[in-house]
Amino acid sequence: MPLEVQEEGSVEAGLDALDTPIHTSEGSRLRQIAARVLPPVGAIVILVAIWQALWAAAFWPEFKLPAPAAVWSQIWQLVTSGDIGGLFWVSVHRAVIGFAISLLIAVPLGLAIANITVVRRGIGPLVSGLQSLPSVAWVPAAILWFGLNDRAIYWVVLLGAVPSIANGLVSGLDQVPPILPRVGKALGAGRFGGIRYILLPAALPGFLGGLKQGWAFSWRSLMAAELIATSPELGEGLGQYLHNGMSLSDISMVFAGIVLIFVVGVGIELLVFRPLESSVLRARGLTSSAR
Amino acid sequence: MTATIDALPDLLSPVRFHQVGKTFGTGQKAVVALDGVDLEVSAGEFVCLLGASGCGKTTLLNLVAGLDRPTSGRIELNSSRPAVVFQEPALMPWLTAAGNVELPLRMAGVPKAQRRAKAAELLELVRLAGLGDKRPHELSGGMRQRVALARALASTTDSGDAGKPSLLLMDEPFSALDAITRDVLQGELLRIWRATGTAILFVTHDVREAVRLGQRVVLLSSRPGRVVRQWDVNDAPDAVDEINTALRKVISSHAA
Ligand SMILES: Nc1ncnc2c1ncn2[C@@H]1O[C@H](COP(=O)(O)OP(=O)(O)OP(=O)(O)O)[C@@H](O)[C@H]1O
Ligand SMILES: [Mg+2]
């Protein structure tokens, strides 16, 4: 029986080929991009069209609902005068610094809550509770404590972002399959090796979800703080711009402010957090190709 | 037995159980998983642990691996840190196959170039050369099991306490595989055992597998798990029927 005297290796290679999942090639790159970009663009076009129609029907007076073109010309004026750079810089650098400090505080906090029972029982509920407390509520206290300055604003941002980042890390750590730390121990991981090489990477998908939410909270809190705490020394960010629009009773300026705040918040999520998350999930085989 | 140990005083048994018991829970709901287990594995010996599902085989391995503590009795461990192949492959999904094999070396602080070379060597040993940069989800079940085996082997080779005998613990590593892959991997395991001279404690509930692989087969009873009988199967492949009968008796006596 010459066929059965085949080398073991080749039998095995044949089995491996049978077992390995097959990757189907996906459609052309252009079509993929179009399929991703067209739906949101279409949605925006429809929204603006409805807005234009409502404005044209003059349901509300001009000082309540501005024309899309008027809002656009406000934004365009900011762009041509170059003021938009200053607005973005003041707000975005505050949000980024606030987010970075939040990260430095939230990671050890989350690790402590997830790994130490006493800490979890003690401050776990407190941190969860803080997450549902709108951080704007801290603005008056922050102004009384620190005065009208950057420290007051950072305080509000921290209280918005830290709880959601810490909670994201805790739930990421809680969802780590218990077999993985046991495997780590059997492979010789000590306490810190186990955290560094097993727990943290295993918790990364949940943690990224927390980071994304933490960014949304820190941006939200920052805008609330800038909107309420306005003073010349604070410089002009997007929140102050919105506030000025209200003071001047200029509805097109107010709308322009809202649009810009939205664009920055969503833009950073799309440019930074989405790609990060999807690359992490893809590396672990956790994505379906349709998403 | 004693005579050979006396003759070779420096060849300590990697692991020895002294009346070991393990109970989960307390009071009414207590489950006695193991009771009064005496067991010894000699250096370089291949021992198969046989028993019905739920009789305490995984519990016993966890005790040897130091992942659980016995509730009574004593376990004497003279080996370097035992390497463990778990019942499921449990690879780290964020690491490539090679990254998984390197993990124990990385945690032991082995320099990068050295652990690269070691991982490549071990992947070659389990016939996975060239697949080192695949992620676990891109591998088949049998390939994952082989990566887990290579990783376990890496975790013994790094330990500094050379001179101590090494010990490999395997928990039904092949039970989820099809017959042909299992056959191939059993052959590979015997080859690796001969090549490395490590002692192996191998858990299975498949009598044929136990007789093919082991030098000695140990039968555990269920609830509580006790050592019922042992067979030397080195030159007795016809032991299969006898062990089968004994296993059936253990299972039916438990059911009655
Ligand atoms: N953590 C635990 N808590 C409570 N009971 C447990 C625990 N682990 C195991 N047991 C019980 O101990 C007994 C032995 O379990 P074990 O996992 O060792 O069985 P096993 O021999 O490995 O079975 P299988 O062949 O199905 O893997 C079982 O009755 C099980 O229910
Ligand atoms: Mg088991």
Side-chain angles (χ1 to χ4, degrees):
Chain A
M1 282 190 286
L3 270 179
E4 294 211 345
V5 200
Q6 260 183 339
E7 222 188 320
E8 262 198 350
S10 70
V11 171
E12 184 193 333
L15 284 171
D16 290 349
L18 277 179
D19 282 356
T20 314
I22 300 159
H23 293 282
T24 48
S25 70
E26 284 149 39
S28 76
R29 184 112 187 97
L30 208 69
R31 201 189 280 170
Q32 254 184 42
I33 292 173
R36 206 159 268 260
V37 170
L38 283 183
V41 169
I44 291 174
V45 168
I46 292 172
L47 265 180
V48 173
I50 294 174
W51 176 7
Q52 177 74 28
L54 284 177
W55 172 79
F59 275 132
W60 294 283
E62 185 80 37
F63 67 86
K64 284 192 181 165
L65 183 72
V71 174
W72 176 250
S73 76
Q74 279 285 352
I75 295 175
W76 188 244
Q77 191 198 320
L78 283 177
V79 173
T80 48
S81 66
D83 289 346
I84 199 164
L87 290 181
F88 276 180
W89 166 249
V90 169
S91 291
V92 171
H93 98 270
R94 270 183 194 149
V96 169
I97 292 176
F99 183 72
I101 302 173
S102 306
L103 205 58
L104 289 182
I105 299 173
V107 169
L109 184 65
L111 278 177
I113 293 175
N115 287 310
I116 307 170
T117 315
V118 186
V119 179
R120 180 188 288 258
R121 295 209 180 119
I123 59 174
L126 196 72
V127 174
S128 302
L130 272 181
Q131 197 181 357
S132 48
L133 176 74
S135 59
V136 209
W138 290 100
V139 174
I143 292 176
L144 292 180
W145 288 338
F146 304 109
L148 274 175
N149 54 33
D150 272 349
R151 274 163 59 201
I153 288 185
Y154 283 131
W155 175 253
V156 176
V157 171
L158 286 187
L159 278 160
V162 168
S164 59
I165 299 176
N167 271 329
L169 182 55
V170 171
S171 71
L173 288 168
D174 286 349
Q175 282 162 21
V176 172
I179 181 82
L180 296 185
R182 284 170 78 83
V183 171
K185 204 174 157 204
L187 294 177
R191 192 169 175 76
F192 285 98
I195 290 178
R196 157 99 175 68
Y197 291 109
I198 314 281
L199 277 184
L200 282 181
L204 191 59
F207 179 51
L208 276 181
L211 282 188
K212 210 163 77 171
Q213 205 190 351
W215 165 256
F217 271 71
S218 85
W219 184 242
R220 229 187 262 190
S221 315
L222 175 67
M223 287 306 109
E226 282 188 357
L227 194 55
I228 298 175
T230 52
S231 92
E233 307 100 82
L234 276 176
E236 199 186 345
L238 288 170
Q240 280 93 2
Y241 177 79
L242 191 57
H243 186 94
N244 294 347
M246 184 182 74
S247 312
L248 298 171
S249 301
D250 183 344
I251 191 72
S252 62
M253 195 170 157
V254 169
F255 266 64
I258 293 173
V259 168
L260 291 177
I261 290 172
F262 177 81
V263 164
V264 173
V266 171
I268 291 198
E269 193 195 314
L270 286 182
L271 291 178
V272 180
F273 291 100
R274 260 317 154 71
L276 208 65
E277 200 176 22
S278 71
S279 80
V280 164
L281 293 183
R282 206 169 331 109
R284 296 170 191 224
L286 289 174
T287 39
S288 60
S289 53
R291 283 216 268 152
Chain B
M1 200 72 179
T2 355
T4 48
I5 285 173
D6 285 342
L8 298 162
D10 50 346
L11 266 188
L12 285 165
S13 296
V15 60
R16 202 180 297 183
F17 279 58
H18 299 276
Q19 287 293 307
V20 170
K22 174 74 187 176
T23 308
F24 290 104
T26 48
Q28 290 262 297
K29 279 184 275 177
V31 175
V32 183
L34 294 174
D35 183 42
V37 172
D38 280 315
L39 183 66
E40 181 180 351
V41 179
S42 315
E45 193 185 15
F46 199 138
V47 176
C48 285
L49 200 60
L50 196 66
S53 180
C55 73
K57 305 183 294 294
T58 298
T59 307
L60 195 150
L61 282 202
N62 284 340
L63 293 178
V64 181
L67 297 173
D68 269 323
R69 283 174 188 290
T71 27
S72 63
R74 192 164 59 85
I75 297 175
E76 195 185 320
L77 199 65
N78 295 309
S79 70
S80 50
R81 191 186 55 246
V84 192
V85 180
F86 289 83
Q87 207 161 347
E88 63 256 58
L91 299 178
M92 308 298 160
W94 59 92
L95 295 174
T96 59
N100 268 286
V101 179
E102 281 180 37
L103 184 63
L105 304 171
R106 218 162 105 196
M107 293 192 295
V110 177
K112 194 167 184 175
Q114 220 170 309
R115 57 177 203 249
R116 278 260 170 82
K118 189 78 213 172
E121 185 186 306
L122 285 168
L123 282 172
E124 179 134 16
L125 190 69
V126 297
R127 300 230 163 96
L128 283 178
L131 291 178
D133 51 4
K134 290 265 190 259
R135 304 268 172 180
H137 71 272
E138 298 171 311
L139 298 174
S140 73
M143 292 164 149
R144 281 179 217 164
Q145 205 68 61
R146 278 180 275 163
V147 175
L149 176 58
R151 181 178 64 179
L153 293 174
S155 77
T156 43
T157 47
D158 76 86
S159 40
D161 37 16
K164 284 191 173 181
S166 58
L167 176 62
L168 177 57
L169 307 172
M170 304 183 80
D171 194 356
E172 307 188 32
F174 307 144
S175 61
L177 305 177
D178 67 88
I180 303 175
T181 310
R182 182 173 357 170
D183 188 56
V184 171
L185 288 186
Q186 284 173 350
E188 279 179 22
L189 179 61
L190 284 173
R191 184 170 56 81
I192 290 166
W193 171 58
R194 293 197 185 102
T196 56
T198 177
I200 300 183
L201 184 54
F202 186 101
V203 164
T204 178
H205 51 232
D206 179 349
V207 176
R208 274 176 194 290
E209 185 173 59
V211 171
R212 175 178 179 193
L213 294 176
Q215 298 177 299
R216 185 149 58 93
V217 175
V218 176
L219 178 63
L220 277 189
S221 63
S222 302
R223 298 283 177 97
R226 289 201 180 101
V227 176
V228 181
R229 249 187 100 175
Q230 310 196 18
W231 289 267
D232 262 313
V233 290
N234 243 342
D235 321 293
D238 52 316
V240 172
D241 290 334
E242 194 188 326
I243 299 175
N244 251 327
T245 315
L247 178 60
R248 212 164 290 143
K249 211 150 87 197
V250 163
I251 294 175
S252 59
S253 77
H254 175 241

